[in-house]
Structure formats: C-alpha cells, structure tokens
Amino acid sequence: MKIPLINLKKQYEIISEQANKKVYEVLTSAQYIMGENVKEFEKEFSEYIGVKHSISVGNGTDALAIALEALGIGEGDEVITTPFTFFATAESISAVGATPVFVDVRLDTFNIDPTKIEEKITPRTKAIMPVHIFGQPVDMDEINEIARKYNLKVIEDACQAVGANYKGKKTGTLGDIACFSFFPTKNLGCAGDGGMIVTNDDKLATICRGLKAHGSGENGKKAYNILNNINEEVEEDNSVDNTVYNPLKYYNYLIGHNSRLDEVQAAILRIKLPLLDDWNENRRENAKFYNQQLSNTELVTPHEDDYVKHVYHMYILQSEKREELVEFLKENGIATGIYYPVPIHLQKAYTNLEYKKGSLPNAEYLSERTFAIPMFAELTDEEKEYIVKNLKKFGE
C-alpha cells in the first residue's frame, strides 16, 4: 500500500465536475484578475470567518507582510513570534524591515508560550504574531491581555488553521488582523497560490487593499489619506466599469505590492469553502482514531486544549527514534514529513540575531522529535489501520 502525506487527487475527484465547469467559465470569460469570483469569495469568506473585511492576496506570506505594513511596522521595530513554525512567519517580519523576537513554545501544543512573552518585550516591540500551528489555536486571551497592557498589536498567523475554533470564535477573529494561506496542501487550498487578510478594522482593511495593488487607484488614495491624516473623501466613479477602466489606476500613492488572488483560484476556493467544515470534521475523526489506537505506545500523540477545536492541518507525533521510524514507514509505503527539522532561531538566515543552541530549549527539543503521518479528510479506514499497524509494528 502507498499512502501519501496529503492526497490532493482524492480531493479533486470530489469537486472535479464542478471545478472543471467553473474554471472553464473563467477562462472563456477572459476576466482573469480581480473579477466577480474574487469579489464573491471575499464576501463568502468574511461570512464564514465572522469578520467585516476579507482582502484576498497572492499568498499567505504576502498576507503577513502586508498586514504588518498596514499596522505601520517597519525598520527598527520588533515583533514577538514563535521559532517553531514555517519560515514565512519570521520572513515576513524581516521583509518589512522589523526584527523577529522569538519566544519559546509549549511542549504540549507546540504553540508560543504566553507566559514567556512579557520578558521579551522592549521599547521597540510593536506587535505579537502568534501562530496557530498545525491547526491548533493559541491561548489568545492571555496574549491579548499582554497586548493591551503594553499597547501592542496582535497579528494572527492562521495560515494553518482555517476553520479552527477558540472558545466559540473562529481563528481570524481573535486579534487586530489575521492572515490565511490557501496553498494547495492547506485545509482550504486552491490549485496554486493564494492568501487572505481579515480584519474588523475599516482603516486597516482600506490600507491593505491599497498596499496589495501597487498603492494605486481609489484604494491607494484612500490608504494614503488615512496614513497621512488627510480628511478627504475619495469619490468612486460608478459611471464606468472599473474592472475595465479605472481613472486612478496609474496614480500611485504608496509603495505597494503586486499581490492578487486570481479568478481561477477564487472560483475553486468558492467551491471548496462550503465543504470545509465537513472536511475538518473528517480530519478530527481521523485524529481521534490515531489517538485511541496509539495511546498505549511510546509515541506522543497531539494534545488538544479543551477550549479549542483543532483542525489538524498536520497530525504530529513525537518519537525519540524519529529517523529510524520515518525510514521504516517509508519502506512500507507510508509517507511522512518532518515539521520542523530546524527551529527558525537556529536557521542560517538568522545568524545575525545571535541565538545559540539552547536558547529556546522547547522548540529545539521538538525539532528533534516531531514528524507528521498522513492526514487528509479522505483517508480510508483501511489506510488508517495500515498506518497504525506499521507504527505499532515498529515499536515491537
């Protein structure tokens, strides 16, 4: 039996008829950028998450960088975040000229440890960027309390946690602004790259809309006015189709980005969004099966706080014999992934920050033990039983 870590082909089979039809409609419409599917998906995503504004962008990394810029974070500023995450989290902070300050994680959830944040706050700290790693929400109440105490902004990196729930609220509604990724392997993934910024702040939303498209047009002008405290109404010209002709298109007010979700991806995401909760529930059922079957082994199964709804973007196990176990599973046709083999504070790219081995012991400990086994909504009982059988066989 061959079982991939994530099986995108199975998911495509479920939506293929509808997706092929919608993609064909987009292609024949010749409206490929910022068309009706993008507009409607932004509305539908806002309704799903429970926020006022959704601003689609080219990918999750751009979402993080644009959110930081919209908050005015840049050169000389510091942003507190986790070292146990995908590199883009810290990379986006560096991309805007700020410095990531790493705080160690909890050993059980792998999320940033709120009890260790205050000691890292300095006069240069401007924000906290928690990551809902692998689909499990961070303890946001404690982080928001710290942020209020020190007048800091909170940017949720929810790129791995679309649909996850924290005390009755969805991730993306728990800070000042939040970011999602629609990379194909995510719980809600498109057929390429895509991302989303969400917020309830009208001004932040306007600035993000301006920054995502070269700082130009009506949104660029509105964003410029907000950032420069100019009280001037920007009149929208509704006499023409602005998707064809925008009178302010070539007037640039800010140094922005070229980061747009295209129509094909939006069309695919609109098909998948109504299915997301069922898919996430399937993931939770798969995780429950794994947890029960592996409870009496030496493997450490994922912890889930009782006030969250984990959506298992990845199902992460821990083993002191990780390398041998991963090789054994490979020999038996079971794919795995190591997340993350090197915590960010020890990556070569951040040598200048002068972290040393032992600086953040929990993240370093986890980086030597954690690995993912297959997790996707379409896993069959036969596949799950085969995976568990081999995991147990290795331990015999």
Side-chain angles (χ1 to χ4, degrees):
M1 188 179 289
K2 298 286 186 181
I3 308 175
L5 189 62
I6 300 164
N7 195 330
L8 295 179
K9 289 184 178 180
K10 279 191 177 182
Q11 187 184 81
Y12 173 68
E13 288 169 3
I14 295 169
I15 65 164
S16 60
E17 186 175 343
Q18 195 176 1
N20 291 346
K21 179 183 176 183
K22 287 294 183 183
V23 169
Y24 179 76
E25 288 175 2
V26 171
L27 295 177
T28 55
S29 76
Q31 179 62 59
Y32 306 136
I33 301 292
M34 296 175 74
E36 201 61 32
N37 280 295
V38 169
K39 292 177 185 176
E40 290 304 310
F41 178 60
E42 288 180 339
K43 291 177 186 176
E44 291 158 7
F45 196 76
S46 288
E47 291 172 6
Y48 175 78
I49 297 296
V51 292
K52 287 176 68 176
H53 304 284
S54 290
I55 305 97
S56 60
V57 292
N59 53 72
T61 308
D62 282 357
L64 293 166
I66 291 169
L68 287 160
E69 285 184 47
L71 289 167
I73 294 168
E75 199 73 38
D77 296 333
E78 294 177 348
V79 177
I80 288 174
T81 193
T82 168
F84 196 70
T85 179
F86 182 58
F87 188 70
T89 303
E91 184 180 36
S92 64
I93 296 168
S94 298
V96 301
T99 301
V101 174
F102 299 111
V103 168
D104 211 353
V105 297
R106 287 172 49 179
L107 282 174
D108 54 356
T109 65
F110 316 141
N111 280 323
I112 190 170
D113 187 343
T115 67
K116 298 177 180 178
I117 289 176
E118 282 195 79
E119 64 191 55
K120 295 292 185 76
I121 294 173
T122 74
R124 297 170 63 188
T125 308
K126 294 296 185 293
I128 306 170
M129 186 185 282
V131 179
H132 306 302
I133 198 69
F134 306 131
Q136 170 147 239
V138 179
D139 185 351
M140 292 300 295
D141 284 352
E142 197 165 348
I143 285 177
N144 285 326
E145 185 177 337
I146 294 168
R148 284 190 293 270
K149 180 178 177 181
Y150 292 93
N151 194 30
L152 305 176
K153 298 297 183 182
V154 176
I155 306 117
E156 287 179 78
D157 181 340
C159 289
Q160 298 186 9
V162 63
N165 189 289
Y166 174 83
K167 297 184 179 180
K169 296 181 179 179
K170 280 194 170 68
T171 52
T173 66
L174 308 169
D176 295 286
I177 196 165
C179 302
F180 293 90
S181 168
F182 303 129
F183 188 76
T185 58
K186 296 296 195 290
N187 295 34
L188 179 63
C190 54
D193 268 321
M196 190 75 82
I197 303 166
V198 301
T199 183
N200 285 313
D201 187 305
D202 296 343
K203 290 183 177 180
L204 275 181
T206 298
I207 296 168
C208 288
R209 290 191 183 100
L211 287 171
K212 67 174 272 187
H214 304 291
S216 67
E218 291 167 359
N219 287 323
K221 188 171 184 180
K222 289 177 183 178
Y224 178 86
N225 289 350
I226 291 169
L227 292 169
N228 291 279
N229 297 312
I230 298 172
N231 187 18
E232 174 192 6
E233 289 292 327
V234 179
E235 294 186 10
E236 296 185 17
D237 185 354
N238 295 316
S239 64
V240 295
D241 182 355
N242 284 338
T243 62
V244 177
Y245 172 70
N246 182 344
L248 293 178
K249 180 177 180 180
Y250 296 109
Y251 290 80
N252 301 81
Y253 301 89
L254 304 169
I255 304 297
H257 301 257
N258 177 20
S259 187
R260 297 171 293 201
L261 182 69
D262 70 59
E263 277 289 288
V264 168
Q265 306 306 340
I268 291 169
L269 289 165
R270 291 186 69 196
I271 294 168
K272 289 186 175 184
L273 183 59
L275 304 173
L276 177 60
D277 284 343
D278 286 342
W279 286 345
N280 280 344
E281 198 55 43
N282 286 350
R283 287 173 177 267
R284 288 178 56 77
E285 286 299 314
N286 293 340
K288 183 178 179 181
F289 176 84
Y290 283 149
N291 289 345
Q292 290 172 343
Q293 294 296 315
L294 300 173
S295 60
N296 293 320
T297 70
E298 64 175 13
L299 296 166
V300 179
T301 56
H303 168 84
E304 181 176 340
D305 283 330
D306 57 12
Y307 49 82
V308 308
K309 187 174 182 180
H310 196 325
V311 292
Y312 295 95
H313 167 58
M314 295 287 179
Y315 183 87
I316 303 295
L317 291 169
Q318 296 180 58
S319 172
E320 292 182 1
K321 301 176 181 176
R322 180 179 67 187
E323 278 65 33
E324 300 99 305
L325 178 49
V326 164
E327 185 59 31
F328 176 81
L329 293 175
K330 180 181 178 181
E331 290 170 359
N332 285 278
I334 300 168
T336 59
I338 295 179
Y339 302 93
Y340 294 94
V342 181
I344 299 180
H345 68 289
L346 297 181
Q347 294 281 1
K348 291 291 185 184
Y350 284 117
T351 304
N352 64 305
L353 297 183
E354 298 183 348
Y355 286 91
K356 305 295 183 187
K357 192 167 179 60
S359 299
L360 302 171
N362 289 354
E364 294 165 29
Y365 174 82
L366 292 171
S367 72
E368 295 173 354
R369 293 168 55 90
T370 51
F371 67 103
I373 60 174
M375 169 56 76
F376 46 91
E378 302 79 18
L379 267 172
T380 65
D381 289 344
E382 183 183 13
E383 287 172 328
K384 287 184 289 186
E385 287 165 3
Y386 180 76
I387 292 164
V388 166
K389 183 183 76 173
N390 278 280
L391 285 166
K392 289 180 176 178
K393 186 177 179 182
F394 177 82
E396 291 177 353

